Amino acid sequence: ESMWKHCNKQSFRFYSSTALEQIKVLDLTRLVAGPLCTMILSDLGAKIIKVEVPGTGDESRNWPPYLNSDNKEMTCYFASLNRNKKSICINFKSDDGIKVMYDLVEKCDVLVENFVPGKLDKLRLGYDQLKAKVPRLIYCSLTGFGNQGPYKFKPGLDVIAASVGGLWQITGPYGGEPCKPGVAMTDIATGLYAHGAILAALYERNKTGKGQKIDCNLLSTQVAGLINIGSNYLNLNIEGKRYGTAHESIVPMQAFQTSDGYITIAAASNAQYTSLCKQLNVEELAVDERFKTNELRVKNRDILIELLKPYFRKRTTAELMKILDGGSCPFGPVNTIEQVFNDKHIKEIDLVHETKTSKGTRVRMVGPPVVYSVSQNAVRSPPPYLGQHTREILTQELKYPEPLIQKLYEEKVVQ
């Protein structure tokens, strides 16, 4: 049986109702946080019009590897963040391009952008300028550092916000160098915050009939994401440290090396720790006065971990999975990416979807992770090629006559 769930227009035609099917979003974002935000909205049925720069488009279109190395039609990076969207290329630095943008704004409920503060104001696309034309517009800005403070005009990316915001300082091996998380976690969190903020603003508009401006930024999101580590410092002046895979406040909660890999243990309570010791047949460690409570285990962390390590190293990961099964202590293997997508659970829940681009290139992607009992949350169309829907949007959405469309193409206002 194939591990991939095939999805195309035919297989999703039964999705007749979605939570956001009446919502139109003008998406001026690129890279990660913004496209993730609008993709989540698109999964819920919002119509996304992705506005891109003629010629180059979203920078992630140029971040290899490519889906098809022979023709370099689309990168895997871009494909992972831009399904269910329609792409139009507009040179909105031109007067005619601004006119097209204004016409699109009037058709949309939400605008999402991630330009440096002030940039769109200079292009006559700032919030105050558009609010005067479309008072019901919800305008969401995603920036590196927000629209206040001494850093507001600085360009910001995930790695910078994660560095300035402390994430790198507390990530990495104990006593080692700071480390970057394997994916852009600050971007992801900002996109999630932004999508929730947009939904709240839409709900508010249902009551007032008015839109509003939303400001999300990477640095504030990252600092908010420090959660317990931030609280430790704010309340007790405790500086955060790097603990590798271990947890600062809970022991044992970390990865242990096995004879052929790694397994992660998460004994978040005394009962779970006792269960772990029972499953490993080291019940003497459960009653040892040095380890009877989590507070004591944190205090005597190094001693306990060194005592536990041999019991993991002498067994394979698979053997330990069997030994620990049935106990109350959570555990799991440290999987390679191949193992993740071949995991029986991932296959069973049909999390991976497959579709094809308009040029026939196969695209496999992780679908929406949230399941609703009524609302549909789905992959409905593949990520678009640059400017794939320009003519369709000008014709069907804006009702432009053909002579005007032809003029816009000839004058390179659109592509």
Side-chain angles (χ1 to χ4, degrees), residues 164-363:
V164 177
L167 180 61
W168 283 28
Q169 175 62 21
I170 58 174
T171 303
Y174 185 78
E177 295 182 351
C179 285
K180 180 178 82 68
V183 293
M185 293 304 301
T186 306
D187 269 337
I188 293 170
T190 305
L192 288 167
Y193 267 115
H195 120 269
I198 290 168
L199 294 181
L202 285 168
Y203 184 78
E204 176 75 8
R205 193 182 70 176
N206 283 341
K207 297 187 291 183
T208 66
K210 297 179 180 180
Q212 61 181 297
K213 188 171 190 285
I214 300 166
D215 283 298
C216 297
N217 73 82
L218 299 176
L219 181 59
S220 293
T221 295
Q222 177 49 65
V223 175
L226 291 175
I227 52 171
N228 60 300
I229 303 301
S231 183
N232 289 350
Y233 177 79
L234 290 173
N235 294 290
L236 299 173
N237 204 34
I238 298 175
E239 180 59 66
K241 299 178 181 179
R242 289 183 285 280
Y243 282 92
T245 65
H247 195 288
E248 181 174 39
S249 302
I250 306 170
V251 177
M253 183 177 281
Q254 66 180 72
F256 287 89
Q257 187 172 6
T258 68
S259 65
D260 63 349
Y262 291 86
I263 190 170
T264 301
I265 302 300
S269 69
N270 292 331
Q272 290 175 350
Y273 172 68
T274 299
S275 175
L276 171 67
C277 293
K278 181 179 179 180
Q279 298 298 111
L280 290 176
N281 198 28
V282 287
E283 293 179 83
E284 65 276 11
L285 295 181
V287 296
D288 191 308
E289 292 295 330
R290 296 171 295 178
F291 314 130
K292 292 189 74 172
T293 68
N294 181 67
E295 185 177 358
L296 289 169
R297 292 192 293 275
V298 171
K299 180 181 178 181
N300 297 299
R301 174 196 304 269
D302 293 342
I303 298 172
L304 176 59
I305 298 306
E306 288 304 313
L307 289 172
L308 287 173
K309 280 181 178 179
Y311 293 95
F312 290 96
R313 282 181 181 156
K314 66 184 180 182
R315 297 180 175 94
T316 67
T317 300
E319 288 172 339
L320 285 161
M321 294 286 287
K322 291 181 179 178
I323 290 171
L324 296 174
D325 193 30
S328 65
C329 182
F331 63 93
V334 177
N335 281 334
T336 64
I337 303 303
E338 180 181 12
Q339 288 170 329
V340 170
F341 289 116
N342 281 289
D343 187 283
K344 62 183 180 181
H345 185 85
I346 298 300
K347 290 182 181 181
E348 177 67 25
I349 64 175
D350 286 329
L351 189 58
V352 175
H353 298 252
E354 181 179 308
T355 185
K356 289 185 178 181
T357 69
S358 62
K359 297 181 181 180
T361 300
R362 183 176 65 175
V363 187

Side-chain angles (χ1 to χ4, degrees), residues 63-100:
W63 294 348
Y66 291 84
L67 293 171
N68 187 331
S69 58
D70 294 333
N71 54 33
K72 296 186 177 181
E73 292 174 333
M74 185 181 295
T75 64
C76 294
Y77 213 124
F78 180 85
S80 71
L81 294 164
N82 288 284
R83 61 173 174 259
N84 300 337
K85 302 179 184 182
K86 293 188 176 182
S87 171
I88 179 173
C89 290
I90 304 174
N91 176 14
F92 52 82
K93 293 182 179 180
S94 67
D95 288 341
D96 287 339
I98 290 296
K99 175 63 168 62
V100 176

